[in-house]
Amino acid sequence: MFKKPKLRDRKGLIHMTYLLVFINAGIFLLQLILPTFTNLFALYPVGSESYWVFQYFTATFLHANFMHLLMNMLGLYFFGVFLETKFGRINFLTLYIVSGLLANILWHVFYTPLMPVLGASGSIFGIITVLALLIPNQKILVFFVIPMKLWWGFALIMLYTVYKVINPADNVGHFIHLMGALVGAVYYILFLRKGTHLSNYNYLKNSRYPKNTSSSRRTSSSSIRKRYKSDR
């Protein structure tokens, strides 16, 4: 299971994960105070009088209601610091922004939307996808109760997402979730996979990974996967 991470990183800076949570929460307060705020920055269909190009970015920081915000921020809180510590603040922030931004763009490319969209779900799915590729056998608690390996939980989420894309019956942007996961997978393969290792981590309970030594820094992602398989 994941340990509760500290508020600040090794350099004494507040984790980018927490800054993003604070930013999203602050923007949600602005949405409540200023009703026109959401109308301006949510992503509208191309051709709409309310459509602006900057909305592909700004919509990723807006939320429809408190539960929408809460679910996204819980995902960011539980998984974000882990990846941030591994890949660094800039890499993590880039993953967050690129996943949400490209998911919104791809939504317009492949869909003909009839209503505006908003939410950080594309970014969150990108983060969860990278985590599932990096440590698939890590145990998590689904709904805080059910123990399950991360790749199993991820597979169930993606199966549900694909089903809802094929059979849409609600106002949830499931296609954006799917695109966020796709962008996260591509980002991991292109920029994060080579030479990745988990030796710098202290957020896993009962971790069996070596301490941060010169030899452990050369541990490859393939050897990590083999070690996970042997530890089962």
Side-chain angles (χ1 to χ4, degrees):
M1 302 302 175
F2 292 102
K3 288 183 177 179
K4 181 180 178 180
K6 296 180 179 179
L7 178 63
R8 298 180 182 273
D9 60 20
R10 296 173 181 175
K11 296 181 180 180
L13 300 174
I14 297 178
H15 281 291
M16 182 60 67
T17 300
Y18 295 134
L19 291 177
L20 287 171
V21 171
F22 297 152
I23 290 171
N24 277 277
I27 291 177
F28 183 68
L29 289 177
L30 287 177
Q31 290 180 252
L32 297 177
I33 297 171
L34 304 172
T36 57
F37 189 88
T38 302
N39 295 334
L40 177 60
F41 294 109
L43 177 58
Y44 283 81
V46 176
S48 168
E49 295 181 354
S50 301
Y51 168 79
W52 296 89
V53 174
F54 63 77
Q55 293 169 349
Y56 290 109
F57 173 74
T58 58
T60 62
F61 292 93
L62 303 180
H63 290 86
N65 50 56
F66 177 74
M67 286 304 299
H68 187 200
L69 173 70
L70 179 63
M71 296 303 295
N72 278 338
M73 293 305 101
L74 282 176
L76 180 57
Y77 171 79
F78 283 115
F79 302 125
V81 175
F82 189 92
L83 288 182
E84 180 187 346
T85 307
K86 170 60 187 168
F87 297 117
R89 297 167 64 88
I90 300 302
N91 258 327
F92 175 74
L93 180 61
T94 303
L95 170 65
Y96 180 91
I97 292 177
V98 168
S99 296
L101 180 65
L102 291 185
N104 284 343
I105 293 175
L106 291 171
W107 179 66
H108 269 176
V109 171
F110 294 106
Y111 257 54
T112 304
L114 301 176
M115 61 181 64
V117 67
L118 69 172
S121 299
S123 299
I124 305 305
F125 268 74
I127 290 171
I128 295 175
T129 300
V130 170
L131 196 64
L133 292 172
L134 185 66
I135 49 171
N137 290 317
Q138 172 62 36
K139 289 185 178 180
I140 59 173
L141 287 178
V142 179
F143 302 119
F144 305 101
V145 176
I146 306 172
M148 184 180 297
K149 288 187 177 181
L150 182 56
W151 76 270
W152 265 108
F154 177 75
L156 290 175
I157 291 174
M158 295 313 300
L159 285 174
Y160 174 77
T161 300
V162 171
Y163 172 79
K164 297 301 289 186
V165 169
I166 298 174
N167 302 281
D170 51 36
N171 292 327
V172 179
H174 296 286
F175 185 80
I176 292 179
H177 299 173
L178 186 62
M179 292 299 99
L182 176 63
V183 173
V186 173
Y187 190 89
Y188 171 77
I189 293 171
L190 294 180
F191 303 109
L192 303 178
R193 181 176 60 173
K194 185 177 180 180
T196 57
H197 60 89
L198 296 177
S199 58
N200 288 334
Y201 277 120
N202 58 1
Y203 295 115
L204 290 177
K205 291 183 177 179
N206 302 320
S207 174
R208 301 180 184 179
Y209 292 101
K211 295 181 180 180
N212 186 16
T213 63
S214 58
S215 61
S216 66
R217 278 193 288 266
R218 293 193 293 270
T219 305
S220 66
S221 58
S222 60
S223 65
I224 290 170
R225 294 192 187 93
K226 291 179 181 178
R227 188 176 303 162
Y228 259 109
K229 291 179 181 179
S230 64
D231 286 344
R232 285 187 294 178

